Amino acid sequence: MQPATEEPSPIAGITLGTAAARIKDWDRDDVTLVVADRGTVAAGVFTQNRFCAAPVTVCRDHLARQRAGGLDFRALVVNAGNANAGTGDAGLADARATCSAAARLFGCAAEEVLVFSTGVIMEPLPSPRLAAALPAARAAAAAGGWNAAARAIMTTDTVPKVASRRLTIDGREVTVTGIAKGAGMIHPDMATMLSFVATDAPVAGPVLDRLAREVADVSFNCTTVDGDTSTNDSFVVAATGRAAIAPIADRHDARAAALREALAEVAVTLAKAIARDGEGATKFITIRVDGGRDVAECRRVAFAIAHSPLVKTAFFASDPNLGRIVCAIGNAAVDGLDASGVSFRLGDVLVVDHGARAASYTEADGKRVMTERDIDLTVLLGRGAAGTEVWTCDLSHDYVSINADYRS
């Protein structure tokens, strides 16, 4: 499937360059270097996988040191082809060595550098090869390097993922641009998903921390391909402060809400692109659950549907075997859910009406919707006012083939 890719807008204070380190046996750039001007602040949200990768551990530590010590965010290094996960102390040393190599290029502290990795788990990272590629990536760094960077961070992705938004704050233009990669091993709890988003707005560190968490919750944490949370999931937001507006230093500032909306639009676009590009995906599915007592139970129902192999393979086959959706809703472990109050629609077709097959439903109507490339599924729980939305894809023969051949 071909997710929409937007023409990226440069962010004042950010340049991006790529180079080939030959992390795997491929003929392409696989190292990305993001360079930030002095005064840039960053915030991050990372995987909840307890077997988190070495770069995740190092990034968390460096972001904490930046915030505590008043340090800047100066650079981000990303390699594709090797996750540097399950690599123990040697992996941590490799991640720190990469940060130190980049820091030497800019004359900054190693703690001002962040590092991402994506690819095969439990393989040693060839960190000398990675460090050797950094000068070429720096030489290639340009304000318009977003598309090249989006391509260089890909693994099983079929297309690069880039998005931009512009907004006006205090009569001045503010820009948000981001890239992401991910196609498989995708599930919320921050998915193998990486994303870097930048803005030229001046934002205080604590405010940016909160914005990053809130944006992740309404975007990447609403995306699932296969229900597997990766060891490497990372989402970093950087603010260069180059836009000519007064700093956003209070989370209650109305301008923070406007910036959050733009950041979320970029992140949602990237998150949906990941679901559309799911390994072997042929269909993009939006699952909306409304009428819950709280968002948490709505999410349980949505993900129960999105993670069901039986539901996902039915979508791939365009088979309106919709009892599988009923089964998934019932398996969502929602306390006190009364099936007689539940209804759901597939596109414009009412399938279940208050716990039973709708009198108007026909197999032909279900088949018509199931054959579409973009499918909307709406569940009404009938027990409250809360709602949520989740994006996923089908499960095809190609998903099995891609993952069976992943290391070859």
Side-chain angles (χ1 to χ4, degrees):
M1 300 180 73
Q2 296 295 314
T5 301
E6 302 183 15
E7 186 61 31
S9 299
I11 301 294
I14 295 288
T15 58
L16 307 91
T18 66
R22 309 287 190 227
I23 301 296
K24 287 181 67 175
D25 185 20
W26 49 24
D27 184 21
R28 49 161 280 199
D29 285 359
D30 54 4
V31 172
T32 296
L33 177 65
V34 179
V35 183
D37 284 357
R38 284 276 178 205
T40 301
V41 296
V45 179
F46 301 95
T47 183
Q48 297 301 304
N49 190 309
R50 300 298 177 141
F51 224 115
C52 67
V56 170
T57 298
V58 171
C59 275
R60 285 174 171 151
D61 177 56
H62 283 193
L63 282 171
R65 289 171 182 266
Q66 288 172 25
R67 194 71 76 246
L71 298 174
D72 295 329
F73 161 65
R74 293 301 315 282
L76 174 69
V77 179
V78 190
N79 76 268
N82 184 304
N84 194 11
T87 48
D89 289 342
L92 288 168
D94 286 333
R96 292 185 179 118
T98 300
C99 292
S100 295
R104 286 193 293 272
L105 288 177
F106 301 106
C108 68
E111 291 81 7
E112 294 180 295
V113 180
L114 304 179
V115 60
F116 286 175
S117 293
T118 181
V120 178
I121 295 171
M122 291 184 62
E123 292 290 336
L125 179 71
S127 57
R129 211 180 304 166
L130 174 53
L134 292 178
R138 183 190 184 188
W146 290 92
N147 280 324
R151 288 190 294 271
I153 65 176
M154 292 165 56
T155 51
T156 58
D157 307 60
T158 65
V159 292
K161 301 166 181 70
V162 187
S164 284
R165 292 292 185 274
R166 289 192 177 97
L167 69 155
T168 300
I169 295 179
D170 294 343
R172 303 282 184 163
E173 185 174 83
V174 172
T175 306
V176 178
T177 295
I179 59 175
K181 67 83 50 185
M185 198 180 283
I186 302 294
H187 176 50
D189 289 332
M190 286 283 327
T192 318
M193 193 222 92
L194 304 178
S195 180
F196 171 71
V197 175
T199 178
D200 53 3
V203 186
V207 177
L208 196 64
D209 290 338
R210 186 180 182 93
L211 288 176
R213 291 193 300 270
E214 292 175 348
V215 168
D217 279 343
V218 299
S219 57
F220 300 112
N221 283 349
C222 294
T223 302
T224 184
V225 169
D226 48 24
D228 271 332
T229 298
S230 165
T231 54
N232 291 61
D233 304 346
S234 301
F235 170 48
V236 167
V237 182
T240 67
R242 295 285 295 277
I245 62 173
I248 300 173
D250 186 335
R251 67 185 180 89
H252 299 295
D253 188 328
R255 299 174 305 156
L259 180 61
R260 182 194 305 113
E261 183 177 352
L263 289 166
E265 286 180 3
V266 166
V268 166
T269 298
L270 296 172
K272 288 183 176 181
I274 288 171
R276 286 185 181 277
D277 197 28
E279 290 169 342
T282 68
K283 295 177 182 176
F284 174 74
I285 304 157
T286 299
I287 301 171
R288 179 76 198 176
V289 179
D290 287 320
R293 290 180 179 169
D294 54 40
V295 171
E297 72 175 29
C298 293
R299 286 173 66 86
R300 282 197 294 274
V301 171
F303 283 121
I305 298 168
H307 291 158
S308 167
L310 292 177
V311 171
K312 294 168 81 70
T313 51
F315 276 114
F316 170 66
S318 300
D319 176 18
N321 186 359
L322 301 177
R324 293 179 173 183
I325 295 174
V326 171
C327 182
I329 295 170
N331 280 330
V334 173
D335 290 340
L337 180 64
D338 182 357
S340 68
V342 176
S343 303
F344 81 79
R345 289 183 173 274
L346 190 65
D348 61 352
V349 177
L350 181 63
V351 178
V352 167
D353 186 10
H354 290 87
R357 175 172 170 151
S360 59
Y361 176 73
T362 68
E363 184 92 353
D365 284 338
K367 182 74 172 180
R368 170 176 57 80
V369 178
M370 292 286 276
T371 58
E372 296 175 359
R373 295 286 295 273
D374 286 21
I375 300 173
D376 292 334
L377 171 63
T378 303
V379 178
L380 303 174
L381 298 180
R383 53 196 259 125
T388 196
E389 190 169 286
V390 165
W391 311 295
T392 190
C393 59
D394 58 342
L395 183 60
S396 71
H397 302 294
D398 284 346
Y399 178 88
V400 177
S401 298
I402 289 166
N403 282 281
D405 297 336
Y406 183 66
R407 295 200 306 158
S408 60

